[in-house]
Amino acid sequence: MTSTLLLKQRHTLIQQQLQADGRVLALDLARQLDVSEDTIRRDLREMAAAGLCQRVYGGALPMAPDGGTLSQRKHESPERKASLAQAAVSLVREGQVLFIDAGSTNLAIANALPQLALTIITNAPSIAMALMERAEIELIIAGGRVDRRAGASLGPQALRTVERMRPDLCFLGACGADVDAGVTAFNYDEAEFKRSVAGASKAVVVAATSDKLGTAAPFGVLATGLLQHLVLEADADAVHADAFERLGVHVLRARK
């Protein structure tokens, strides 16, 4: 009974520290709680299995927010996403080839694109539909089986399409974004597709709402050092913005 109580107490303290500091380190927790690092690592494994945190090298981060299906997410915080989109499209230039990944913020980016001659590749039916009437845009759809939760084609056919292309800019969807964990995703197949398209692109852009900063999902997509542009909300925590900038990421902030 005592060991169970101590275990619960440790988990509660770890959760409280995660909420307060945004991350925990196994070595610091071991010293603070007067237990071994192996005990803390076991605690973090158990908490991660329960969906209470995401383990990263040396410690853990808060779990990335799971907003549900794309159909649900696209109705959440439309003003915030529209503001991010306006900042993101400032990177677009005439004649570029763009890949626009699935996601509610990326759908806002598609809707905010300026009247320029562009080639757009997307694996998201909702983004393709949003651009269908734009005569100045050449539209290419990476097809195949559609994952309804992601709102995107993720299979081999979609991968073959993007592997043959070299987009100037890739607007990559992110479930979590942290300077140590990089860009992460909840779905294995989705993470695999995102890695492939990011690797084929000349530059990668992530537009992230503030709730995704300093969090991680189970599957890695892109290391921070491979990200060129990060678009943040006007009031995003400067600690996160500064950490990304120190690693060479160009950080843009949306207008208030």
Side-chain angles (χ1 to χ4, degrees), residues 10 13-14 17 21 23-41 44 57-60:
R10 287 200 309 273
L13 287 168
I14 292 169
Q17 191 157 327
D21 299 339
R23 67 186 60 225
V24 292
L25 297 175
L27 179 59
D28 291 346
L29 285 171
R31 291 170 176 167
Q32 178 183 336
L33 301 177
D34 195 24
V35 294
S36 69
E37 280 192 69
D38 285 341
T39 297
I40 294 298
R41 292 192 189 98
L44 295 178
Y57 181 77

Side-chain angles (χ1 to χ4, degrees), residues 123-125 142-155:
N123 63 329
R145 183 184 65 82
V146 174
D147 183 305
R148 285 184 172 85
R149 184 174 180 82
S153 297
L154 301 174

